Amino acid sequence: MSSLQVLCSGLPLWPLPENQGRWAGVPHAPVRTPGLSPAEEQLALRNALRYFPPDVQELLAPEFAQELRLYGHIYMYRFCPRIEMRAYPMKQYPCRTKAAAAIMHMIMNNLDPAVAQFPQELVTYGGNGQVFSNWAQFWLTMSYLSQMTEEQTLVMYSGHPLGLFPSCPEAPRLVITNGMVIPNYSSRTEYEKLFAMGVTMYGQMTAGSYCYIGPQGIVHGTVLTLLNAGRRYLGANDLAGKVFVTSGLGGMSGAQAKASVIVGCIGVIAEVDKAALVKRHQQGWLMEMTDSLDHCIERLRKAKEKKEVLSLGYHGNVVDLWERLVHELDMTGELLVDLGSDQTSCHNPFNGGYYPVQLGFAEAQSLMASDPATFKGLVQESLRRQVSAINRLAKENFFFWDYGNAFLLEAQRAGADVEKKGAKRTEFCYPSYVQHIMGDIFSQGFGPFRWVCTSGDPQDLAVTDQLATSVLEEAIAGGVNPAVKLQYEDNIHWIREAAKHQLVVGSQARILYSDQKGRVAMAVAFNQAIAHGKIKAPVVLSRDHHDVSGTDSPFRETSNIYDGSAFCADMAVQNFVGDAFRGATWVALHNGGGVGWGEVINGGFGLVLDGTQEAEKKAKMMLSWDVSNGVARRCWSGNQKAYEIICETMQENKGLVVTLPYEVADEHVLQQALWP
């Protein structure tokens, strides 16, 4: 068993650790099929060996080559550390700076087996959201961080630690880019090759930026989505007796069961991987499990009649579940479902993100590796069947939305009936949850703000919960508009319920949706509590990349922007750069995330609060920009709520000056000019 001191001392070479291969009893990533040519295989092996001195290359080369051929990637299993991988208290890391210790705390949380989806393949969530490309990169990064001073910045190229470079104390200590492939070559096929060769990486969102906080992150987003879906589609503030059907209990999708219970509805979640169901059940996030479709329907019907609160995991394919719900409707006239979505990893549908209904789990994994073309055909047929069943239910009082996982996009590509007459490029017959449910929240500047208590002490988290609640209550007391008040009240309820629902998995972290004012006020309150000893160690501020300004994604975060700029990525890139010179401790910019490779540009940050005046100054400056950037962009695209928020912000902050758009007062002006 390694110690943290050993973990930070560089690659273990003399002697080499024993090669234990893939561990039994741990979920593993599906076999990848990059389709490398012999020359590309040689290049992949050469790239892996360049981390090691010549005297060990002869030993390592055959096993790395075997990994490439067996699994489609060189993970370097021999170097998977023999340590309990978790977020250790920050003071235990052998570092020269607080920032470096905080980053180590976050990295190890992303790889904690209780948090990570495929820990030995360095995948945190989403089926392919990598923290690093291989274990050599992990060891080198930890070594660099332990050496780093306040006048150095660590540069990360898609998992590869390029090195420590001279900078200044005000600069970020870490700058990350993931998947920055030239646009003309940013296809899925090219990605598989480039990843196998070890030269790029899909960091999802918070996997490759070291800011994942376990499924709690999406629990809160799912809670807000369900609450607002109930209000919009069902006209209901109370979801008792309402049934929400969806799929996925693996990485981020594992949040759906817990969210269903928190909002008080009946959540029925299909999952093909039994290990994922068992994991969520053991964590207390899933109340009941069944592998019988008959029992699933019987239990659903009983819970609906009694208005029970229930999260029920169905071990089987979600297509079977949707088709059975159609059968019940056709046979009995009874609609058993009210709300529906999907959280399979459809951004990666042909490499384990979506399992076709025609095959069992193990059979599908085998075919995926042995005959990718046939597997792809089955996936697309399965998508068509799923959409057909959903379409039948939607003719009744049932409402479905796309959860930003590229489900409708891939269904469209598969030939499913998801078209909407007269629609824009980003629209389908069902809305994305951003278009109908969360888009207005982003336009008001609300998004997933989060923090991590690096002491690892639950009492510190309790203090931050109390401070955050006080900040929001004071804001309400000071007077806010009704829409903002509703968001604050939802979040106060969320924090008060958090401890009861055992939301912490991994690091002592919390998430809530807040606007610019709330984020800044919470940051100041936390920083002062650290300065006065009420919180024992620094707090890391962060957010999901899925936020007001962090992501340009035409089928998700920016799907409700209709001025033609939804396919442009200026906002996310500007946010990354702006955060870097306004005080972020680290910044990250990624290709892909959520909807998939080549479909998204997104970025994130980490900011360490240590109780100093300098930390408070950085937080005020950076957090203000991190929200107002996206609100201003939405204002310029014609969103009225964003317009109102940016006008209000300019009145309060004279340093903010934004050009406001004029409306075209008369549509006939356009028509006459174009078609006189």
Side-chain angles (χ1 to χ4, degrees):
M1 182 70 76
S2 298
S3 66
L4 290 176
Q5 194 73 42
V6 171
L7 207 63
C8 296
S9 59
L11 272 166
L13 299 173
W14 299 283
L16 286 171
E18 179 187 355
N19 184 14
Q20 296 183 353
R22 280 192 166 195
W23 297 340
V26 175
H28 289 287
V31 173
R32 310 187 75 92
T33 53
L36 299 182
S37 68
E40 289 167 336
E41 284 185 339
Q42 189 174 19
L43 186 57
L45 185 56
R46 182 188 300 277
N47 289 345
L49 290 173
R50 61 186 169 178
Y51 288 101
F52 302 93
D55 58 347
V56 297
Q57 289 179 1
E58 188 174 353
L59 174 65
L60 295 177
E63 68 184 57
F64 287 176
Q66 184 181 37
E67 284 187 24
L68 183 63
R69 286 171 180 158
L70 286 178
Y71 309 120
H73 189 74
I74 300 171
Y75 296 105
M76 305 182 185
Y77 289 117
R78 177 189 288 269
F79 295 95
C80 186
R82 276 56 166 180
I83 190 172
E84 183 185 356
M85 190 69 72
R86 62 181 176 86
Y88 289 85
M90 193 176 114
K91 64 182 180 182
Q92 295 185 21
Y93 291 99
C95 295
R96 301 170 71 179
T97 69
K98 292 177 182 177
I103 294 165
M104 287 182 171
H105 181 92
M106 303 290 279
I107 288 173
M108 292 189 72
N109 185 69
N110 273 24
L111 294 169
D112 181 341
V115 173
Q117 187 177 10
F118 305 126
Q120 217 182 354
E121 287 77 40
L122 304 109
V123 172
T124 300
Y125 71 91
N128 60 349
Q130 302 284 148
V131 187
F132 300 98
S133 180
N134 59 58
W135 284 105
Q137 294 173 348
F138 167 82
W139 284 91
L140 290 173
T141 299
M142 297 295 280
S143 177
Y144 278 133
L145 288 169
S146 70
Q147 301 170 48
M148 186 172 67
T149 71
E150 293 286 0
E151 295 186 338
Q152 290 174 306
T153 293
L154 176 58
V155 175
M156 301 294 297
Y157 280 14
S158 292
H160 169 66
L162 188 65
L164 293 169
F165 291 81
S167 61
C168 62
E170 296 75 29
R173 299 278 67 82
L174 173 66
V175 176
I176 303 166
T177 51
N178 283 311
M180 292 291 107
V181 173
I182 306 300
N184 276 357
Y185 306 93
S186 188
S187 67
R188 281 182 183 162
T189 302
E190 287 292 337
Y191 169 72
E192 292 297 335
K193 286 177 176 282
L194 293 171
F195 179 61
M197 290 189 287
V199 295
T200 197
M201 188 181 87
Y202 185 71
Q204 263 286 359
M205 289 191 165
T206 53
S209 66
Y210 319 146
C211 294
Y212 192 62
I213 60 168
Q216 177 191 171
I218 197 171
V219 171
H220 187 38
T222 307
V223 164
L224 291 181
T225 300
L226 287 172
L227 286 174
N228 286 291
R231 291 164 182 158
R232 181 182 182 106
Y233 300 134
L234 306 177
N237 287 314
D238 182 2
L239 294 179
K242 304 300 183 184
V243 177
F244 171 55
V245 171
T246 183
S247 56
L249 284 167
M252 294 184 74
S253 60
Q256 297 181 105
K258 177 63 75 175
S260 298
V261 172
I262 292 173
V263 302
C265 74
I266 300 154
V268 183
I269 307 99
E271 171 59 61
V272 294
D273 184 358
K274 189 170 185 177
L277 276 98
V278 171
K279 180 178 181 178
R280 297 305 176 203
H281 188 255
Q282 290 175 344
Q283 288 175 337
W285 285 47
L286 181 66
M287 292 169 65
E288 298 178 19
M289 298 185 297
T290 182
D291 57 7
S292 165
L293 201 48
D294 288 340
H295 180 261
C296 182
I297 296 299
E298 180 185 340
R299 185 70 184 92
L300 182 165
R301 185 176 272 120
K302 179 181 176 183
K304 189 174 176 68
E305 288 171 358
K306 295 186 175 182
K307 294 189 175 181
E308 292 180 58
V309 175
L310 174 68
S311 59
L312 174 63
Y314 166 57
H315 180 215
N317 197 289
V318 73
V319 180
D320 286 327
L321 177 56
W322 284 120
E323 290 180 342
R324 178 59 181 270
L325 290 167
V326 170
H327 175 77
E328 294 295 323
L329 175 62
D330 289 342
M331 292 297 103
T332 68
E334 185 179 12
L335 179 67
L336 292 174
V337 57
D338 302 285
L339 300 170
S341 192
D342 184 277
Q343 276 200 39
T344 52
S345 294
C346 265
H347 67 276
N348 185 37
F350 312 123
N351 286 285
Y354 183 96
Y355 283 80
V357 66
Q358 306 92 326
L359 304 174
F361 184 59
E363 190 181 4
Q365 288 192 314
S366 176
L367 186 66
M368 190 191 312
S370 65
D371 191 349
T374 299
F375 182 80
K376 179 179 179 179
L378 292 175
V379 165
Q380 293 188 320
E381 179 188 336
S382 187
L383 283 166
R384 291 192 295 271
R385 283 176 57 179
Q386 183 170 345
V387 168
S388 178
I390 291 167
N391 286 349
R392 170 66 185 92
L393 295 166
K395 292 178 180 178
E396 311 299 326
N397 193 35
F398 161 73
F399 301 91
F400 182 89
W401 65 88
D402 183 289
Y403 218 127
N405 60 336
F407 172 73
L408 291 177
L409 181 62
E410 288 303 327
Q412 179 191 53
R413 290 168 175 168
D417 182 14
V418 295
E419 300 298 327
K420 178 182 177 182
K421 283 187 177 180
K424 298 177 175 66
R425 288 174 67 189
T426 59
E427 292 182 306
F428 301 99
C429 62
Y430 303 109
S432 86
Y433 76 120
V434 171
Q435 286 171 313
H436 267 200
I437 303 170
M438 302 299 282
D440 281 349
I441 293 174
F442 283 169
S443 297
Q444 295 174 67
F446 280 85
F449 180 60
R450 56 179 62 167
W451 61 90
V452 177
C453 297
T454 63
S455 66
D457 187 344
Q459 183 55 40
D460 277 355
L461 184 60
V463 172
T464 61
D465 282 349
Q466 186 274 322
L467 290 171
T469 302
S470 296
V471 163
L472 299 182
E473 288 175 337
E474 288 170 12
I476 292 172
V480 292
N481 71 54
V484 171
K485 182 182 179 183
L486 181 62
Q487 295 303 322
Y488 280 165
E489 287 174 342
D490 281 348
N491 280 282
I492 290 169
H493 177 73
W494 160 261
I495 296 175
R496 287 176 174 162
E497 293 286 300
K500 181 175 77 175
H501 289 289
Q502 302 174 317
L503 292 169
V504 170
V505 177
S507 59
Q508 293 295 316
R510 183 70 71 230
I511 184 173
L512 56 75
Y513 270 57
S514 182
D515 58 358
Q516 178 181 325
K517 290 180 184 177
R519 297 184 202 204
V520 171
M522 280 183 266
V524 171
F526 296 166
N527 197 58
Q528 290 176 354
I530 296 166
H532 296 141
K534 295 178 182 177
I535 298 173
K536 293 181 283 298
V539 170
V540 174
L541 301 182
S542 186
R543 57 162 170 74
D544 196 342
H545 298 200
H546 164 68
D547 195 20
V548 181
S549 311
T551 298
D552 282 296
S553 177
F555 293 98
R556 195 164 81 172
E557 284 81 357
T558 48
S559 60
N560 66 332
I561 288 179
Y562 300 118
D563 67 351
S565 71
F567 292 87
C568 301
D570 300 83
M571 179 178 71
V573 175
Q574 286 281 359
N575 220 65
F576 162 80
V577 175
D579 284 353
F581 65 74
R582 286 180 173 87
T585 308
W586 73 94
V587 289
L589 185 67
H590 298 183
N591 173 4
V595 181
W597 181 265
E599 306 282 359
V600 190
I601 297 294
N602 64 88
F605 72 87
L607 195 158
V608 177
L609 298 177
D610 61 3
T612 62
Q613 284 295 315
E614 183 64 21
E616 182 174 318
K617 179 181 175 182
K618 288 179 176 180
K620 288 179 176 178
M621 180 72 71
M622 200 223 77
L623 293 174
S624 296
W625 155 255
D626 194 66
V627 176
S628 61
N629 173 33
V631 177
R633 189 267 179 95
R634 286 171 166 79
C635 164
W636 189 249
S637 73
N639 185 286
Q640 182 60 33
K641 290 186 178 179
Y643 182 97
E644 293 167 3
I645 294 293
I646 208 69
C647 288
E648 180 183 324
T649 307
M650 282 198 290
Q651 288 179 348
E652 296 170 352
N653 183 352
K654 299 305 180 184
L656 176 66
V657 182
V658 174
T659 301
L660 299 174
Y662 293 104
E663 288 188 38
V664 176
D666 187 350
E667 290 293 320
H668 292 296
V669 172
L670 304 179
Q671 296 171 14
Q672 186 64 31
L674 291 168
W675 305 288

